[in-house]
Amino acid sequence: MTLFLLKRLATLAATLLATSIVVFVVLEILPGDAAQMMMGPDASPEAVAALRAKLGLDRPALERYFAWIAGMATAELGTSHAYGAPVAGLIAERLALTVPLAVLAMTLTAVLALAAGLYAASRHGRLGDVGLMGLTQVGIAIPNFWFAILLILLFAVQLRWFSAGGFPGWDAGVGPALKSLVLPAVSLAVVQAAILARITRSAVLDVLREDFVRTARAKGLSRRAALWGHVLRNAMIPVLTVMGLQFATLLAGTIVVETVFYLPGLGRLIFQSISNRDLIVVRNCVMLLAAMVVVVNFVVDVLYAAIDPRLKPADA
């Protein structure tokens, strides 16, 4: 297990290093003057030169890269050109919304998908199975932003159970803050739950055909007990893979939903920074999102070893 973790940590470090190089090259070394892009085409050469010096763009690329890496290690990410505030503070403020939104959406996804997948697999070929798989097909086809608009029309405009958008902040209380995230989380979870439910159903059906399940049933174990005690854990390997990818997707892909619900999250910060040509914020946000995806995949790999006993002897 120790060797397994060391290998995964080495892969994690190498992936983060490669990601940082790609992000740096794309945003700072490719042809084009970043300072000129930020200032706009009508800026005077003196103003552009002053901004280049302020951003350190007049220094060698390798020196700027190592300065950026050192800054990330100490949370000194520079100052936003558009907002005039430290980038680290801006990102931390937006993460306080994006991470809870992604966690809430992933929780809804897991609960709905596992329940639907197990129900469909236990009734394979029957009406419940066919009906649920038909609903998941519809869920996969629905765009998040369109479903978000439908939720607003129904629950905010017609029923007035929730607000149509905005975020009161955590200072207003956990209840009001979470309530404002319910509709965005549901709109994010629908498509992901539909995908995960189909994968859960397929994985459970594959395990149900294994010999050890038939042996357990022959020894008198009920179908429900076999399903929960033996089948589910073995079926969780492919399900866990998809859940990890989905959580990373939710962290990095909330920009559309945050725009629809006017939520001041990380996705909206990236969108606004691109519009304002604030490349300092864009660079650090992209690196942060990439790091989140890599770390989530690392966590999934570690959970493999905890769930699948076949991995442990190989690493011993």
Side-chain angles (χ1 to χ4, degrees):
M1 186 66 176
T2 302
L3 181 59
F4 175 84
L5 289 176
L6 290 176
K7 288 180 179 179
R8 291 299 183 270
L9 283 172
T11 303
L12 172 67
T15 305
L16 289 175
L17 177 62
T19 303
S20 68
I21 293 173
V22 171
V23 171
F24 183 81
V25 169
V26 169
L27 292 180
E28 295 208 23
I29 294 183
L30 287 182
D33 192 333
Q36 184 69 60
M37 292 177 61
M38 291 181 182
M39 296 295 291
D42 300 327
S44 65
E46 293 79 11
V48 174
L51 182 59
R52 283 180 58 83
K54 180 180 179 182
L55 299 177
L57 298 177
D58 53 346
R59 294 182 294 168
L62 193 61
E63 181 182 342
R64 285 186 279 131
Y65 172 74
F66 284 114
W68 177 46
I69 295 297
M72 285 192 295
T74 58
E76 294 292 337
L77 305 181
T79 303
S80 167
H81 171 69
Y83 293 91
V87 176
L90 287 173
I91 293 177
E93 180 183 352
R94 302 305 179 96
L95 280 177
L97 186 148
T98 297
V99 172
L101 174 60
V103 170
L104 182 58
M106 193 67 241
T107 302
L108 291 173
T109 297
V111 171
L112 293 174
L114 292 178
L118 285 171
Y119 180 86
S122 65
R123 289 159 177 77
H124 179 54
R126 302 179 189 174
L127 182 60
D129 178 26
V130 176
L132 268 178
M133 290 304 99
L135 287 176
T136 59
Q137 193 65 42
V138 175
I140 293 173
I142 295 177
N144 284 333
F145 69 89
W146 184 78
F147 189 67
I149 294 173
L150 291 183
L151 291 177
I152 292 173
L153 290 175
L154 177 60
F155 292 103
V157 177
Q158 296 295 330
L159 299 177
R160 301 182 183 275
W161 290 354
F162 299 92
S163 63
F167 183 67
W170 297 107
D171 294 338
V174 176
L178 287 178
K179 185 177 180 181
S180 67
L181 297 180
V182 170
L183 294 185
V186 171
S187 64
L188 285 170
V190 165
V191 174
Q192 305 299 333
I195 297 171
L196 190 60
R198 298 180 70 88
I199 293 172
T200 302
R201 171 183 177 272
S202 298
V204 170
L205 288 177
D206 288 341
V207 177
L208 281 173
R209 301 187 183 102
E210 296 289 339
D211 293 337
F212 74 89
V213 178
R214 286 194 290 267
T215 301
R217 294 280 288 133
K219 289 182 177 180
L221 202 64
S222 67
R223 184 177 180 85
R224 181 184 296 273
L227 187 65
W228 289 99
H230 297 275
V231 175
L232 183 58
R233 178 171 180 175
N234 289 275
M236 282 300 293
I237 300 300
V239 174
L240 190 62
T241 303
V242 178
M243 288 179 66
L245 295 174
Q246 285 183 325
F247 185 64
T249 300
L250 290 172
L251 284 171
T254 60
I255 181 170
V256 175
V257 170
E258 286 180 356
T259 301
V260 172
F261 287 95
Y262 204 72
L263 297 174
L266 190 63
R268 187 168 177 82
L269 175 63
I270 296 175
F271 176 77
Q272 292 172 336
S273 298
I274 293 174
S275 302
N276 296 329
R277 302 185 182 92
D278 198 349
L279 298 186
I280 298 177
V281 177
V282 175
R283 177 187 64 191
N284 288 288
C285 286
V286 170
M287 185 61 206
L288 175 64
L289 291 176
M292 286 180 173
V293 173
V294 174
V295 170
V296 167
N297 288 331
F298 169 76
V299 173
V300 171
D301 286 341
V302 173
L303 288 176
Y304 280 168
I307 293 177
D308 192 349
R310 294 171 297 180
L311 293 177
K312 296 177 182 178
D315 295 323

